Amino acid sequence: MSTYPGLRLTAPCGGTVEVGTPVVLAPMAGITNLSYRQLCAEQGAGLYVCEMITSRGIVERIPKTFQMLEFAPGEAVRSVQLYGVDAGVMARAADILCGEFGVHHIDINLGCPVPKVTRRGGGGALPWKTDRLAAILTRTVKAADAHGVPVTVKTRMGIDEDHLTYLDAGRIAQDAGVAAIALHARTVQQAYSGQARWEHIAALVNAVSIPVLGNGDIWEACDALAMVEQTGAAGVVIGRGCLGRPWLFRDLADAFDGRTPQPYPKLGEVAAMLRRHAELLAGIHGERHGLTDLRKHMAWYFKGFPVGGEIRRGLGLVSSFAELDALLARLDPDATYPPSEAGIPRGRQGSPRAHVTLPHGWLESREIGEEDLSAAESDVSGG
């Protein structure tokens, strides 16, 4: 029996999604495609969210957007993160996702920190406009609820330390019928730099009655338990921590179920998991394109291991299984996981921005009315 309860996401009409282990794979552009979701799911924990897609891309039936809506036959819960800035378009997109694609869960992105998005009023800038936020959440929840599908939200603390929005966003989400809210405990200005401020997750837990999920600086399973214990969060969202480490979900499942932690994988086990990843990618895109897509994962998988420069360079250029297998055969399968990599940040970090780029006069009012923000949706499918 689980030490920690699972997560139940409930739509206003009563439709539910049960998540046995309270762990969610965050959508990441170019990463959480069908193959990586399946690979993580095979480790046995949680909910796995498709790459972020734009509402306008769905409504306008753009082929590239529809190509991202791929699900494995065994993907029991079809989960999609949806992005948009227009309440009507978001509602229509939700209806299409639920009615035509059989999606079981929709997550709304309200935290994208990319400057080309925030300068137009989208992403992490949008929660500042409480009227638009309320309209988007209310109409999207209503559209999904007609299909019995719960809607969740993922947001950030705010634009910067002087313009925090997460408490207002939490209350608005709760009033709109949102099933849960995830908080990345950084501001837009921080992007991925510095430390996540878990105390703000605790503040949100105390401010709302819907489940709160915590996100930020979970690099090991013990970090997830610490976050839940310190904040009272109902679960966690995992992003950069699983890059090159899909077995993190195995460790998280063990931790939340109270099982004895398993040892870190040796190099041979990592190579076998990478080979499985390659098979899944090739099954979708074909051998050449699948292995080309795998290249960006190589450095993450073998970070800190004694691999050698020549092999690393070769892995970064593979385009066939013959090449991949020849290189993997040269690795020492008994090499142990480098202790120096345990608990270390992974993926992009960078530095905080001097300021967040916003539309002119954005901070002068918390309302926006009917202003057109559609330019904030251009070129953001995937993240």
Side-chain angles (χ1 to χ4, degrees):
M1 186 173 180
S2 297
T3 303
Y4 291 85
L7 181 65
R8 172 177 288 186
L9 305 177
T10 305
C13 73
T16 62
V17 168
E18 301 282 353
V19 183
T21 302
V23 175
V24 178
L25 168 64
M28 291 179 281
I31 304 295
T32 56
N33 54 24
L34 168 59
S35 60
Y36 198 70
R37 296 199 310 274
Q38 186 173 344
L39 185 67
C40 292
E42 289 174 359
Q43 298 301 305
L47 181 66
Y48 303 87
V49 187
C50 178
E51 294 176 83
M52 187 185 82
I53 56 177
T54 66
S55 56
R56 204 168 296 275
I58 295 172
V59 171
E60 296 177 0
R61 298 183 176 273
I62 296 174
K64 180 182 176 182
T65 300
F66 276 22
Q67 288 169 9
M68 296 171 66
L69 291 168
E70 297 178 302
F71 301 97
E75 205 159 0
V77 178
R78 297 184 171 193
S79 176
V80 173
Q81 188 178 72
L82 186 62
Y83 170 83
V85 294
D86 181 279
V89 175
M90 285 286 284
R92 291 198 296 276
D95 184 61
I96 293 170
L97 285 173
C98 300
E100 297 183 24
F101 290 88
V103 167
H104 304 100
H105 162 244
I106 293 174
D107 183 57
I108 298 178
N109 183 303
L110 292 171
C112 180
V114 177
K116 69 178 180 181
V117 174
T118 61
R119 72 162 50 97
R120 295 165 175 167
L126 192 143
W128 181 255
K129 301 299 186 180
T130 54
D131 59 338
R132 181 64 59 92
L133 176 63
I136 287 173
L137 297 186
T138 300
R139 294 191 62 177
T140 306
V141 167
K142 183 178 179 181
D145 194 42
H147 300 271
V149 171
V151 173
T152 59
V153 166
K154 186 169 186 284
T155 191
R156 284 176 174 254
M157 287 164 43
I159 294 171
D160 53 35
E161 291 289 339
D162 295 323
H163 301 91
L164 300 180
T165 57
Y166 71 99
L167 293 177
D168 289 333
R171 296 185 188 103
I172 290 169
Q174 180 173 286
D175 291 344
V178 166
I181 181 169
L183 177 63
H184 184 166
R186 286 182 170 87
T187 63
V188 173
Q189 185 176 31
Q190 280 183 273
Y192 298 94
S193 68
Q195 288 188 316
R197 303 272 298 280
W198 290 2
E199 66 269 22
H200 289 277
I201 298 171
L204 184 57
V205 169
N206 291 327
V208 299
S209 59
I210 59 175
V212 173
L213 306 178
N215 177 226
D217 292 355
I218 298 178
W219 313 114
E220 306 288 343
C222 58
D223 297 327
L225 295 186
M227 175 185 280
V228 169
E229 290 167 2
Q230 292 175 27
T231 67
V236 297
V237 178
I238 305 297
R240 295 172 295 154
C242 72
L243 295 176
R245 303 173 71 227
W247 63 84
L248 177 60
F249 291 96
R250 173 204 70 185
D251 296 345
L252 287 160
D254 288 343
F256 279 106
D257 284 349
R259 294 190 292 267
T260 301
Q262 299 180 50
Y264 288 118
K266 294 183 178 180
L267 183 53
E269 297 171 89
V270 173
M273 190 162 292
L274 180 137
R275 184 59 163 74
R276 172 61 176 156
H277 193 175
E279 292 169 359
L280 291 169
L281 281 168
I284 301 168
H285 304 295
E287 182 175 355
R288 184 174 183 84
H289 289 294
L291 290 173
T292 299
D293 189 62
L294 182 69
R295 294 173 183 173
K296 63 175 171 278
H297 295 267
M298 296 297 187
W300 294 325
Y301 271 109
F302 297 118
K303 191 170 185 290
F305 277 109
V307 172
E310 180 187 351
I311 297 177
R312 287 186 187 275
R313 285 190 292 274
L315 289 168
L317 297 171
V318 291
S319 57
S320 71
F321 279 112
E323 294 171 0
L324 178 62
D325 290 341
L327 290 164
L328 295 181
R330 295 172 61 185
L331 302 177
D332 176 7
D334 295 320
T336 57
Y337 190 83
S340 60
E341 294 303 317
I344 297 298
R346 304 175 75 83
R348 54 187 170 180
Q349 296 171 59
S351 303
R353 300 176 179 131
H355 65 277
V356 178
T357 307
L358 299 167
H360 178 71
W362 189 256
L363 297 176
E364 294 174 3
S365 169
R366 297 300 304 270
E367 296 186 347
I368 192 173
E370 299 300 318
E371 184 174 331
D372 181 12
L373 297 178
S374 59
E377 288 192 48
S378 62
D379 301 323
V380 293
S381 280

